[in-house]
């Protein structure tokens, strides 16, 4: 049976998502899957894997019949057209992508993506049948200035503006403090819980009551095999989004199988 969390009669799935970023050729990607699948055979968790565009189709072929679903890390907001170097939702959908990560902090900070642009992409993802994982998170400066709640509220409201309640229930939101991504530094699980509860409340205030309890919230930022369980134990954290540690089949499988882990400290 699929792993779930219950909150006031609302059932939320546990999601473990990997984001490979700009890593792995097709050869490396398919070798990863060959090594990874036997390690997660007994898992009942929903596993999302965001791979480079070139590897979507070969990885989709390889994971057939497993609990892994494959997605992309970005897409354009237009359905087609003169946008050199961009990729459309229908193109990644056709090769088997089921979801797309939108608004990752690297897209926001390296490529200058705004909430407004991300919002257009979210709407395009829905129009073309992809589930969005929408990333939000404050920078270190904003964190230290006590602006976390203000930044997250604005990112949620603007990135998800116009999303209806039914779409919201299918949206995954990933809270990824920018200062925790790739740094080895994390908030404490209790601090992360507090922020996730806050995000759930923002959803509750701006969408419907039912939606807020059922929307899936992930924590991301230096998630490793030895801290996954601590985050997953928090009431409002339904899963994790993993960058660096998803590149090794062994460490990603340890994260997927976190319930078997012995947590240190
Ligand atoms: C990410 O890029 O989404 C991420 C969480 O990276 P890392 O796990 O490497 O911090």
């Amino acid at each position: 049976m699929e792993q779930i969390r219950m909150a006031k009669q609302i059932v939320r799935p546990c999601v473990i998502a990997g984001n490979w970023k700009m890593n792995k050729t097709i050869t490396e990607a398919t070798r990863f899957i060959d090594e990874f699948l036997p390690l997660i055979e007994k898992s009942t968790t929903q596993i999302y894997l965001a791979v480079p565009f070139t590897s979507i189709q070969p990885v989709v072929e390889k994971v057939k019949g497993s609990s892994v679903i494959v997605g992309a890390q970005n897409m354009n907001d237009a359905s087609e057209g003169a946008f050199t170097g961009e990729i459309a939702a229908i193109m990644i959908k056709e090769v088997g992508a089921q979801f797309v990560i939108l608004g990752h902090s690297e897209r926001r900070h390296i490529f200058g993506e705004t909430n407004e642009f991300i919002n257009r992409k979210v709407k395009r993802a829905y129009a073309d049948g992809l589930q969005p994982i929408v990333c939000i998170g404050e920078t270190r400066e904003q964190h230290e200035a006590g602006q976390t709640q203000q930044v997250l509220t604005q990112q949620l409201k603007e990135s998800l503006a116009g999303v209806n309640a039914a779409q919201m229930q299918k949206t995954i939101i990933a809270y990824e403090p920018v200062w925790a991504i790739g740094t080895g530094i994390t908030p404490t699980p209790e601090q992360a819980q507090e922020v996730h509860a806050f995000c759930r409340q923002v959803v509750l205030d701006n969408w419907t009551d039912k939606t807020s309890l059922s929307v899936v919230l992930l924590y991301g930022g230096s998630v490793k095999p030895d801290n996954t369980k601590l985050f997953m134990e928090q009431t409002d954290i339904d899963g994790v989004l993993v960058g660096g540690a998803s590149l090794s089949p062994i460490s990603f499988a340890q994260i997927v199988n976190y319930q078997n882990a012995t947590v240190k400290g």
Side-chain angles (χ1 to χ4, degrees):
M1 212 185 60
E2 191 181 289
Q3 235 181 77
I4 52 173
R5 340 198 106 196
M6 303 279 295
K8 295 188 187 158
Q9 312 304 323
I10 304 286
V11 176
R12 302 196 302 266
C14 291
V15 171
I16 306 279
N19 172 16
W20 282 355
K21 311 191 184 192
M22 199 174 73
N23 292 292
K24 298 195 190 296
T25 62
I26 295 173
T27 309
E28 291 164 340
T30 51
R31 193 186 308 139
F32 174 105
I33 300 298
D34 285 337
E35 291 174 29
F36 179 65
L37 290 186
L39 303 175
I40 52 105
E41 235 172 13
K42 296 197 182 92
S43 167
T44 52
T45 303
Q46 280 188 7
I47 304 165
Y48 283 51
L49 206 48
V51 305
F53 297 129
T54 47
S55 289
I56 294 175
Q57 188 158 33
V59 170
V60 166
E61 287 300 319
K62 279 258 166 202
V63 300
K64 269 188 186 146
S66 77
S67 54
V68 178
I69 70 165
V70 181
Q73 304 164 18
N74 183 33
M75 52 170 245
N76 193 262
D77 64 314
S79 58
E80 61 180 355
F83 302 102
T84 302
E86 290 294 289
I87 196 142
I90 55 167
M91 296 171 184
I92 54 182
K93 178 124 194 278
E94 190 179 51
V95 289
Q98 294 185 52
F99 73 93
V100 60
I101 296 178
L102 297 175
H104 188 278
S105 75
E106 285 149 19
R107 301 293 324 168
R108 290 175 184 269
H109 298 290
I110 303 172
F111 300 102
E113 292 194 4
T114 61
N115 289 328
E116 200 253 328
F117 187 37
I118 294 159
N119 181 241
R120 292 204 305 270
K121 294 185 189 206
V122 170
K123 289 175 175 160
R124 171 61 52 202
Y126 279 121
D128 290 341
L130 290 170
Q131 180 184 29
I133 297 183
V134 180
C135 301
I136 56 170
E138 82 286 3
T139 63
R140 169 161 295 288
E141 294 69 34
Q142 290 165 333
H143 179 71
E144 286 170 356
Q147 295 168 345
T148 300
Q149 295 194 351
Q150 183 193 326
V151 170
L152 298 181
T153 303
Q154 188 172 3
Q155 289 179 338
L156 282 169
K157 281 189 178 175
E158 293 181 4
S159 305
L160 296 167
V163 168
N164 65 38
Q167 290 168 333
M168 186 55 118
Q169 284 187 54
K170 292 189 207 122
T171 304
I172 296 179
I173 296 168
Y175 167 59
E176 302 202 296
V178 180
W179 48 274
I181 296 180
T183 59
I185 301 165
T186 63
T188 66
E190 294 74 23
Q191 287 166 339
Q193 160 57 26
E194 199 179 310
V195 178
H196 282 74
F198 173 78
C199 292
R200 202 175 289 290
Q201 188 61 43
V202 173
V203 175
L204 176 69
D205 293 343
N206 290 277
W207 287 270
T208 70
D209 191 86
K210 198 163 157 255
T211 304
S212 163
L213 289 169
S214 62
V215 72
V216 173
L217 297 181
L218 310 184
Y219 167 75
S222 297
V223 171
K224 307 284 178 225
D226 64 359
N227 63 18
T228 305
K229 193 171 184 177
L230 298 172
F231 288 111
M232 292 299 291
E233 279 169 355
Q234 306 304 312
T235 315
D236 286 292
I237 299 181
D238 305 314
V240 287
L241 177 53
V242 187
S246 71
L247 291 172
S248 144
I250 293 172
S251 63
F252 195 45
Q254 284 170 339
I255 289 172
V256 170
N257 298 323
Y258 74 92
Q259 280 165 317
N260 309 333
T262 313
V263 178
K264 284 177 258 151

